[in-house]
């Protein structure tokens, strides 16, 4: 815990010395720092992030690049997030001119938008072709069938807020495996069973309440 970052800088120097341009360090799930309940420990981690930021921006870690992934809450929450640490907030907050519809890609924070439906369709096309290539068969599903699959996913109540790319990919891969391992299965019938399995006979308010309960079930006080 005391010297891991020093070793990262050492590895970056070694990487440059053997002919590469440097070392990229990816730190995912930054929200876990946000979840630290002890404020002193949380601030200590944020102080380390500040040191890393300063080193890379001021040339003290010349061959080291750092990417950190986290939720907007992890960054912007002024009570427990990165913005609760004033020194980080002043460095990470958007400037006056790049915070509107015109995005810049050299700012410390890159805000990622959710995939559009068109982009999800392209992703499904790639997955379909890769699955067929891996198992050595000719792709069977048409683009119209992929669109039908997407409609089942996005028409679910609350999908606009609750649906994630991970869910779409998981269900689609499950569908591809089922069709491949059971040649007698019919795509339209599988989709029909999936649609029929969704809650029926509920009012909009009741269904929305169930979705909200599922969402809140993961929250911790």
């Amino acid at each position: 815990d005391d010297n891991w970052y020093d070793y990262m800088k050492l590895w970056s120097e070694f990487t440059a010395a053997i002919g590469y341009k440097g070392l990229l360090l990816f730190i995912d799930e930054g929200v876990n720092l946000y979840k630290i309940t002890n404020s002193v420990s949380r601030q200590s981690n944020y102080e380390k992030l500040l040191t890393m930021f300063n080193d890379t921006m001021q040339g003290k870690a010349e061959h080291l690049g750092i990417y950190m992934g986290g939720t907007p809450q992890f960054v912007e929450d002024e009570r427990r997030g990165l913005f609760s640490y004033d020194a980080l907030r002043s460095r990470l907050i958007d400037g006056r001119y790049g915070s509107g519809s015109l995005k810049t890609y050299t700012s410390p924070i890159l805000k990622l938008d959710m995939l559009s439906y068109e982009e999800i369709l392209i992703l499904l096309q790639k997955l379909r072709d890769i699955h067929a290539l891996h198992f050595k068969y000719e792709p069977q599903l048409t683009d119209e069938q992929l669109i039908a699959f997407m409609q089942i996913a996005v028409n679910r109540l609350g999908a606009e807020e609750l649906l994630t790319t991970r869910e779409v990919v998981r269900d689609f891969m499950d569908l591809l495996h089922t069709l491949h391992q059971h040649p007698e299965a019919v795509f339209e019938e599988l989709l029909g069973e999936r649609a029929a399995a969704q809650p029926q006979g509920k009012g909009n308010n009741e269904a929305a309440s169930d979705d909200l309960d599922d969402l809140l079930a993961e929250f911790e006080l």
Side-chain angles (χ1 to χ4, degrees):
D1 287 351
D2 293 334
N3 58 13
W4 70 269
Y5 174 55
D6 293 328
Y7 273 99
M8 288 298 101
K9 290 194 289 186
L10 185 61
W11 272 106
S12 70
E13 291 297 329
F14 171 75
T15 304
I18 61 175
Y20 293 93
K21 290 185 177 180
L23 180 71
L24 282 179
L25 174 63
F26 289 87
I27 304 175
D28 200 7
E29 298 292 345
V31 71
N32 286 300
L33 300 182
Y34 171 86
K35 293 179 179 179
I36 296 175
T37 56
N38 186 290
S39 60
V40 175
S41 297
R42 190 171 61 248
Q43 292 295 310
S44 295
N45 279 277
Y46 290 169
E47 186 174 344
K48 177 62 71 174
L49 291 181
L50 175 64
T51 300
M52 295 161 66
F53 180 88
N54 287 339
D55 284 356
T56 53
M57 296 298 289
Q58 297 171 3
K60 297 178 182 178
E62 185 177 0
H63 302 290
L64 178 64
I66 301 172
Y67 287 89
M68 180 168 227
T71 62
Q73 187 181 36
F74 158 64
V75 176
E76 298 171 357
D77 190 318
E78 296 186 356
R79 187 173 62 88
R80 295 179 58 177
L82 294 181
F83 282 7
S84 67
Y85 196 77
D86 288 339
L88 278 175
R89 184 180 187 279
S90 64
R91 288 163 172 78
L92 301 179
I93 196 169
D94 288 329
R96 296 180 180 179
Y97 302 101
S99 57
S101 58
L102 300 177
K103 296 182 179 179
T104 59
Y105 299 102
T106 54
S107 60
I109 294 181
L110 300 178
K111 296 181 179 179
L112 304 181
D113 296 326
M114 292 182 62
L115 293 182
S116 67
Y117 294 156
E118 292 77 10
E119 290 169 330
I120 292 178
L121 177 59
I122 294 174
L123 175 61
L124 296 182
Q125 291 171 335
K126 302 290 187 184
L127 291 173
R128 173 196 61 189
D129 296 342
I130 292 173
H131 191 274
L133 182 65
H134 178 74
F135 289 103
K136 298 180 176 58
Y137 68 89
E138 288 297 320
Q140 302 296 321
L141 296 183
T142 65
D143 289 347
E144 289 73 18
Q145 289 174 315
L146 298 186
I147 293 173
F149 170 84
M150 280 185 54
Q151 288 176 336
I152 293 292
V154 303
N155 286 342
R156 179 167 59 85
L157 185 65
E160 190 70 27
E161 292 80 17
L162 304 179
L163 189 66
T164 65
T165 306
R166 178 185 299 166
E167 293 180 55
V168 176
V169 170
R170 180 198 62 204
D171 290 347
F172 185 63
M173 293 307 299
D174 183 50
L175 176 66
L176 289 179
H177 290 321
T178 301
L179 291 172
H180 178 64
Q181 296 176 25
H182 301 276
E184 73 280 3
V186 179
F187 172 84
E188 287 73 18
E189 292 180 358
L190 290 176
L191 245 61
E193 292 175 1
R194 180 71 179 91
Q198 294 181 5
Q200 301 292 333
K202 288 187 176 184
N204 286 343
N205 290 338
E206 185 179 355
S209 176
D210 289 347
D211 283 340
L212 185 60
D213 288 343
D214 291 340
L215 180 65
L216 295 177
E218 297 182 3
F219 284 2
E220 294 181 2
L221 296 178

